PDB file of all heavy atoms in Angstrom:
ATOM      1  N   LEU A 845    -122.169 104.809 111.278  1.00  0.00           N
ATOM      2  CA  LEU A 845    -120.949 104.496 110.499  1.00  0.00           C
ATOM      3  C   LEU A 845    -119.704 104.573 111.340  1.00  0.00           C
ATOM      4  O   LEU A 845    -118.641 104.022 111.053  1.00  0.00           O
ATOM      5  CB  LEU A 845    -120.789 105.405 109.291  1.00  0.00           C
ATOM      6  CG  LEU A 845    -121.712 105.261 108.131  1.00  0.00           C
ATOM      7  CD1 LEU A 845    -121.513 106.407 107.129  1.00  0.00           C
ATOM      8  CD2 LEU A 845    -121.493 103.877 107.478  1.00  0.00           C
ATOM      9  N   HIS A 846    -119.768 105.350 112.462  1.00  0.00           N
ATOM     10  CA  HIS A 846    -118.645 105.551 113.338  1.00  0.00           C
ATOM     11  C   HIS A 846    -118.494 104.548 114.426  1.00  0.00           C
ATOM     12  O   HIS A 846    -117.464 104.476 115.151  1.00  0.00           O
ATOM     13  CB  HIS A 846    -118.729 106.944 113.994  1.00  0.00           C
ATOM     14  CG  HIS A 846    -118.650 108.113 113.066  1.00  0.00           C
ATOM     15  ND1 HIS A 846    -119.702 108.417 112.186  1.00  0.00           N
ATOM     16  CD2 HIS A 846    -117.657 109.019 112.809  1.00  0.00           C
ATOM     17  CE1 HIS A 846    -119.340 109.476 111.510  1.00  0.00           C
ATOM     18  NE2 HIS A 846    -118.109 109.846 111.841  1.00  0.00           N
ATOM     19  N   HIS A 847    -119.449 103.642 114.560  1.00  0.00           N
ATOM     20  CA  HIS A 847    -119.436 102.684 115.676  1.00  0.00           C
ATOM     21  C   HIS A 847    -119.446 101.249 115.236  1.00  0.00           C
ATOM     22  O   HIS A 847    -119.875 100.951 114.092  1.00  0.00           O
ATOM     23  CB  HIS A 847    -120.684 102.943 116.613  1.00  0.00           C
ATOM     24  CG  HIS A 847    -120.675 104.270 117.251  1.00  0.00           C
ATOM     25  ND1 HIS A 847    -119.944 104.508 118.432  1.00  0.00           N
ATOM     26  CD2 HIS A 847    -121.248 105.463 116.917  1.00  0.00           C
ATOM     27  CE1 HIS A 847    -120.120 105.775 118.768  1.00  0.00           C
ATOM     28  NE2 HIS A 847    -120.916 106.331 117.873  1.00  0.00           N
ATOM     29  N   GLY A 848    -118.847 100.372 116.052  1.00  0.00           N
ATOM     30  CA  GLY A 848    -118.884  98.940 115.740  1.00  0.00           C
ATOM     31  C   GLY A 848    -117.966  98.553 114.581  1.00  0.00           C
ATOM     32  O   GLY A 848    -118.113  97.573 113.904  1.00  0.00           O
ATOM     33  N   ARG A 849    -116.995  99.459 114.306  1.00  0.00           N
ATOM     34  CA  ARG A 849    -116.107  99.175 113.156  1.00  0.00           C
ATOM     35  C   ARG A 849    -114.985  98.195 113.583  1.00  0.00           C
ATOM     36  O   ARG A 849    -114.517  98.229 114.795  1.00  0.00           O
ATOM     37  CB  ARG A 849    -115.429 100.463 112.649  1.00  0.00           C
ATOM     38  CG  ARG A 849    -116.453 101.550 112.318  1.00  0.00           C
ATOM     39  CD  ARG A 849    -115.838 102.696 111.453  1.00  0.00           C
ATOM     40  NE  ARG A 849    -115.444 102.131 110.191  1.00  0.00           N
ATOM     41  CZ  ARG A 849    -116.201 102.093 109.083  1.00  0.00           C
ATOM     42  NH1 ARG A 849    -117.450 102.481 109.178  1.00  0.00           N
ATOM     43  NH2 ARG A 849    -115.737 101.649 107.965  1.00  0.00           N
ATOM     44  N   ALA A 850    -114.601  97.338 112.684  1.00  0.00           N
ATOM     45  CA  ALA A 850    -113.570  96.369 112.974  1.00  0.00           C
ATOM     46  C   ALA A 850    -112.227  97.112 113.117  1.00  0.00           C
ATOM     47  O   ALA A 850    -111.984  98.206 112.531  1.00  0.00           O
ATOM     48  CB  ALA A 850    -113.428  95.337 111.851  1.00  0.00           C
ATOM     49  N   ALA A 851    -111.279  96.573 113.890  1.00  0.00           N
ATOM     50  CA  ALA A 851    -109.960  97.141 114.074  1.00  0.00           C
ATOM     51  C   ALA A 851    -109.302  97.257 112.678  1.00  0.00           C
ATOM     52  O   ALA A 851    -109.389  96.282 111.927  1.00  0.00           O
ATOM     53  CB  ALA A 851    -109.113  96.239 114.967  1.00  0.00           C
ATOM     54  N   GLY A 852    -108.735  98.387 112.476  1.00  0.00           N
ATOM     55  CA  GLY A 852    -108.061  98.587 111.133  1.00  0.00           C
ATOM     56  C   GLY A 852    -108.996  98.945 110.008  1.00  0.00           C
ATOM     57  O   GLY A 852    -108.551  98.996 108.830  1.00  0.00           O
ATOM     58  N   ASP A 853    -110.252  99.223 110.318  1.00  0.00           N
ATOM     59  CA  ASP A 853    -111.215  99.575 109.310  1.00  0.00           C
ATOM     60  C   ASP A 853    -111.936 100.919 109.596  1.00  0.00           C
ATOM     61  O   ASP A 853    -113.078 100.941 109.939  1.00  0.00           O
ATOM     62  CB  ASP A 853    -112.284  98.483 109.145  1.00  0.00           C
ATOM     63  CG  ASP A 853    -113.312  98.812 108.092  1.00  0.00           C
ATOM     64  OD1 ASP A 853    -112.962  99.456 107.063  1.00  0.00           O
ATOM     65  OD2 ASP A 853    -114.533  98.413 108.283  1.00  0.00           O
ATOM     66  N   PRO A 854    -111.194 102.022 109.542  1.00  0.00           N
ATOM     67  CA  PRO A 854    -111.753 103.300 109.883  1.00  0.00           C
ATOM     68  C   PRO A 854    -112.701 103.813 108.815  1.00  0.00           C
ATOM     69  O   PRO A 854    -112.683 103.364 107.694  1.00  0.00           O
ATOM     70  CB  PRO A 854    -110.542 104.203 109.943  1.00  0.00           C
ATOM     71  CG  PRO A 854    -109.628 103.619 109.008  1.00  0.00           C
ATOM     72  CD  PRO A 854    -109.765 102.160 109.151  1.00  0.00           C
ATOM     73  N   LEU A 855    -113.556 104.743 109.197  1.00  0.00           N
ATOM     74  CA  LEU A 855    -114.470 105.460 108.245  1.00  0.00           C
ATOM     75  C   LEU A 855    -113.622 106.465 107.508  1.00  0.00           C
ATOM     76  O   LEU A 855    -113.048 107.382 108.162  1.00  0.00           O
ATOM     77  CB  LEU A 855    -115.630 106.112 108.987  1.00  0.00           C
ATOM     78  CG  LEU A 855    -116.589 106.936 108.150  1.00  0.00           C
ATOM     79  CD1 LEU A 855    -117.234 106.089 107.086  1.00  0.00           C
ATOM     80  CD2 LEU A 855    -117.542 107.639 109.076  1.00  0.00           C
ATOM     81  N   VAL A 856    -113.460 106.324 106.230  1.00  0.00           N
ATOM     82  CA  VAL A 856    -112.661 107.286 105.442  1.00  0.00           C
ATOM     83  C   VAL A 856    -113.582 108.313 104.773  1.00  0.00           C
ATOM     84  O   VAL A 856    -114.411 107.845 103.960  1.00  0.00           O
ATOM     85  CB  VAL A 856    -111.750 106.570 104.443  1.00  0.00           C
ATOM     86  CG1 VAL A 856    -110.904 107.522 103.597  1.00  0.00           C
ATOM     87  CG2 VAL A 856    -110.807 105.594 105.158  1.00  0.00           C
TER      88      VAL A 856
END
Side-chain angles (χ1 to χ4, degrees):
L845 287 174
H846 295 75
H847 296 278
R849 306 195 66 87
D853 180 34
L855 175 62
V856 179

